[in-house]
Amino acid sequence: AQSVTQLGSHVSVSEGALVLLRCNYSSSVPPYLFWYVQYPNQGLQLLLKYTSAATLVKGINDFEAEFKKSETSFHLTKPSAHMSDAAEYFCAVSAPGYALNFGKGTSLLVTP
Amino acid sequence: EAGVVQSPRYKIIEKKQPVAFWCNPISGHNTLYWYRQNLGQGPELLIRYENEEAVDDSQLPKDRFSAERLKGVDSTLKIQPAELGDSAVYLCASSYGQGTEETQYFGPGTRLLVL
């Protein structure tokens, strides 16, 4: 079985500050890991994905995430938050033969 | 390139009534997914199609939910009869290929409210 746990249902940062959204995974096989973003009343958009290549993955809008097997983590970071980054962020895990399992999401608030 | 199209965007019905959702995936995408997203939760897979074949429907409540993808392109998800607990956003996604590392592209969803 596979699952992800997103630590913190709500995260607030100031504009220009570092964004850090935490995700820990559980998987009995080597996982594929994803971060999606969801803006209000919209579907999910892929930010980045890890599929067993480089452990540091760069995505759209200056987001990146690092796969750390020893810590079973795949935290999402961005050096400088913009107001437009305010949204719901979902971490997800899958593997060959397994469905995509999402976390419960983290709501990011960016304050001026 | 057009994205995943879903309709309607919003639906309000009374309990015990039927309801149907429609999805048109991105052209050329052979894999189609239906997810349910409850308020404050991540999406949960209901059913996955490879072309016209349902290859994973283990999470679909088959007593009231049904789905079809007759020609391997667009798909319909139906609930009959609807219950209060079915209120949620129903998301459709599509991808090209069969590997689960393939990127899934999501539609905007249908927001269902059952009164």
Side-chain angles (χ1 to χ4, degrees), chain B residues 83-94:
Chain B
E83 297 179 352
L84 295 177
D86 295 331
S87 295
V89 177
Y90 291 82
L91 295 166
C92 180
S94 69

Side-chain angles (χ1 to χ4, degrees), chain B residues 1 6 8 16 21 45 48 50 54 56-57 59 66-67 76 80 83-86 90 92 98-99 105 111 114:
Chain B
E1 178 183 285
Q6 290 188 247
K16 301 184 181 179
F21 315 124
L45 181 68
R48 174 168 67 99
E50 298 286 350
D56 184 356
D57 63 356
Q59 301 303 311
S66 64
T76 302
Q80 183 172 10
E83 297 179 352
L84 295 177
D86 295 331
Y90 291 82
C92 180
Q98 297 182 350
Y105 294 86
R111 188 175 297 272
V114 182

Side-chain angles (χ1 to χ4, degrees), chain A residues 38 41 43 49 90 94-96 98, chain B residues 9 37 42 100-101 103-104 107:
Chain A
Q38 186 176 33
N41 298 318
K49 65 178 181 180
F90 292 93
S94 75
Y98 291 85
Chain B
R9 291 295 312 276
Q37 185 176 19
T100 45
E101 77 277 15
T103 299
Q104 296 184 28

Side-chain angles (χ1 to χ4, degrees), chain A residues 46-95:
Chain A
L46 181 71
L47 283 175
L48 49 81
K49 65 178 181 180
Y50 165 79
T51 56
S52 74
T55 57
L56 181 62
V57 182
K58 295 186 182 299
I60 62 172
N61 300 336
D62 295 327
F63 282 96
E64 64 180 37
E66 186 172 7
F67 173 71
K68 292 187 176 181
K69 183 178 179 180
S70 61
E71 299 178 8
T72 61
S73 69
F74 191 59
H75 301 332
L76 181 70
T77 61
K78 180 173 180 176
S80 176
H82 294 167
M83 297 297 291
S84 60
D85 294 327
E88 191 82 14
Y89 291 80
F90 292 93
C91 181
V93 62
S94 75

